[in-house]
Amino acid sequence: MPRYYINEHDQIRSIKHPDQELNYFISKNDRMNVMHREAHNTCIRANIHSRLLSTSMKITRLPLGASPSEPHIPIYTSANISTCKRLIIYIGESWQDLGVLAWRAIGQTSIASGSLIDFVHTVQQAPDNPGILIANPGQLLWCRGGKRAVTMATWMALPRKTGVGLPFEINEEKNRVPRNRDPKEHISYVFEEAIPKLARAGVAIDVLATGDGATELVEYLRDHWEGKCEKNIKAVTVGCGYLWTGEEMIGDEKFRRFWGERARAYIQSSEPVDTPLTGRKEMGCNCFSAGENLIMELVVPAAYKSMLSFFQLVNDVLGYCETAQEIGGEDKVETEKQDWTPLKCRRYEERIHFIDRGG
């Protein structure tokens, strides 16, 4: 069995071959490969967790008040969340582990850059010391045996009765967490229960979301904007934001105006990061290159500093509003070729039921 270590560049490399990353295909039996990768990821998650705790982040359990043994979803919150005047919220993808931006970046670049470690360090350097809340729309399955929330990938890697046994059946009552059964419910709970009880009244909120987490965020803001979200939400950035058309997703005039003036979309593109792109008609807001052209999960690792700089700009300049960018030439995001139908997490719409019982 291959063994790994963390080198001086914060990279995970093979002990036997220090120039090699994780080798997934260690066996012709794919179950062995899956279990090997999960053991590898478990060690990385523990490393990320300990390092985030050292930055004054802490685990908060949802629903609020749940004990460690009761069904709950963990999120990260900063120590100053109850006193900060500005709160930055990160909402990732519905299949991703808590604290992880991109497993691919962790493997290829470093643990800190592929997780939220560098992100948290960058936020903490802001002059106004904003608070941080890291949502968890990915680990929404409750493993009763381990008394922990897991992703679908980890669920599929749970130990089975035999090497050829089927995965545990997902019981929609026993393996789900109340009011956090899917990404939509989780995001609603964060905004309607967690933030009002954890943060100070009137806190200014900036939200960074990516992938299908961005879709769920925008749908929530659209449906709850007037009288609820409009008072606190100051700015929004979305990663890989070609998931919708402006008129279909953005909703009524008040939210559409906010979206056009206080939101940015960072889109996959071969252009340098922050390069203005066309696409405002489709997105409803100004679009910029994320500096990553090929892989969606690498958008935030490539562009989060620019996203945070935008939040700082909105915070520093009283009454700041984006103006529509006039960009000539062809549309660099190829809007006519894109499928603008909102992407939904099929993991939650197409339930998979197995023969075995348990979980």
Side-chain angles (χ1 to χ4, degrees):
M1 187 71 68
R3 300 176 65 185
Y4 300 89
Y5 76 108
I6 300 174
N7 67 17
E8 66 275 16
H9 304 296
D10 198 29
Q11 300 169 323
I12 300 142
R13 294 294 182 263
S14 168
I15 293 177
K16 188 175 182 180
H17 303 286
D19 60 329
Q20 294 183 7
E21 304 168 14
L22 169 70
N23 177 20
Y24 175 79
F25 297 101
I26 63 169
S27 172
K28 293 182 179 180
N29 184 333
D30 196 53
R31 177 64 178 165
M32 289 285 294
N33 298 331
V34 169
M35 296 296 289
H36 172 243
R37 180 183 61 187
E38 180 60 24
H40 178 270
N41 290 354
T42 297
C43 294
I44 299 174
R45 284 193 293 264
N47 180 278
I48 293 171
H49 177 67
S50 64
R51 291 165 68 176
L52 285 176
L53 293 183
S54 70
T55 64
S56 299
M57 299 294 289
K58 61 180 180 179
I59 288 289
T60 298
R61 294 185 294 273
L62 305 183
L64 296 173
S67 70
S69 61
E70 292 177 323
H72 67 270
I73 305 299
I75 63 173
Y76 282 112
T77 56
S78 59
N80 67 335
I81 190 170
S82 63
T83 59
C84 64
K85 295 182 179 179
R86 182 165 69 103
L87 177 64
I88 295 177
I89 300 174
Y90 172 77
I91 301 174
E93 297 174 276
S94 64
W95 55 269
Q96 194 60 273
D97 283 287
L98 177 65
V100 175
L101 291 177
W103 284 110
R104 183 177 281 101
I106 287 175
Q108 296 176 351
T109 309
S110 70
I111 296 175
S113 63
S115 70
L116 283 155
I117 295 172
D118 278 353
F119 176 92
V120 168
H121 282 305
T122 303
V123 172
Q124 291 176 337
Q125 292 172 8
D128 57 332
N129 191 28
I132 306 169
L133 186 151
I134 300 172
N136 188 6
Q139 295 177 330
L140 299 183
L141 290 171
W142 179 251
C143 174
R144 291 183 294 156
K147 297 191 182 302
R148 61 192 176 109
V150 300
T151 63
M152 179 63 78
T154 297
W155 183 272
M156 298 299 287
L158 291 174
R160 304 175 187 176
K161 294 180 180 179
T162 68
V164 293
L166 294 174
F168 290 120
E169 178 185 5
I170 297 175
N171 186 303
E172 292 299 323
E173 294 300 321
K174 296 179 180 179
N175 300 123
R176 297 291 181 183
V177 177
R179 301 188 66 181
N180 289 268
R181 296 177 180 274
D182 56 34
K184 186 181 294 293
E185 284 193 10
H186 177 68
I187 291 173
S188 296
Y189 191 90
V190 166
F191 280 99
E192 296 175 12
E193 296 290 337
I195 294 175
K197 294 179 180 178
L198 296 175
R200 61 185 290 173
V203 63
I205 298 174
D206 299 326
V207 191
L208 190 163
T210 186
D212 57 352
T215 305
E216 297 292 356
L217 168 70
V218 175
E219 289 183 348
Y220 175 81
L221 295 180
R222 176 197 66 194
D223 296 340
H224 300 85
W225 184 251
E226 192 168 357
K228 184 176 291 188
C229 296
E230 62 180 334
K231 297 179 181 179
N232 296 87
I233 306 296
K234 301 303 180 184
V236 176
T237 59
V238 292
C240 195
Y242 49 79
L243 306 180
W244 57 82
T245 58
E247 293 184 358
E248 292 179 5
M249 279 292 290
I250 306 307
D252 64 24
E253 183 60 32
K254 286 187 176 180
F255 182 56
R256 186 179 295 114
R257 180 177 178 181
F258 164 84
W259 189 256
E261 295 177 348
R262 295 285 186 89
R264 285 186 178 183
Y266 283 80
I267 297 175
Q268 288 177 237
S269 171
S270 59
E271 298 293 325
V273 66
D274 270 334
T275 301
L277 301 177
T278 55
R280 184 180 175 93
K281 179 180 178 181
E282 291 75 20
M283 291 300 302
C285 64
N286 288 339
C287 300
F288 297 84
S289 170
E292 166 57 41
N293 187 40
L294 299 176
I295 302 169
M296 189 189 76
E297 71 170 355
L298 296 181
V299 164
V300 174
Y304 76 86
K305 289 184 179 180
S306 296
M307 297 174 173
L308 295 177
S309 294
F310 172 62
F311 292 158
Q312 193 67 51
L313 176 65
V314 173
N315 180 67
D316 291 342
V317 180
L318 184 65
Y320 177 84
C321 293
E322 293 269 276
T323 57
Q325 298 178 141
E326 297 295 333
I327 304 173
E330 297 183 0
D331 193 336
K332 296 177 183 177
V333 296
E334 299 179 328
T335 57
E336 294 182 0
K337 298 180 182 179
Q338 295 287 354
D339 178 7
W340 298 102
T341 303
L343 299 179
K344 294 293 185 181
C345 178
R346 295 182 179 89
R347 296 175 180 85
Y348 292 94
E349 293 183 349
E350 299 175 5
R351 304 296 186 188
I352 301 175
H353 296 283
F354 301 103
I355 297 174
D356 272 343
R357 296 180 178 180

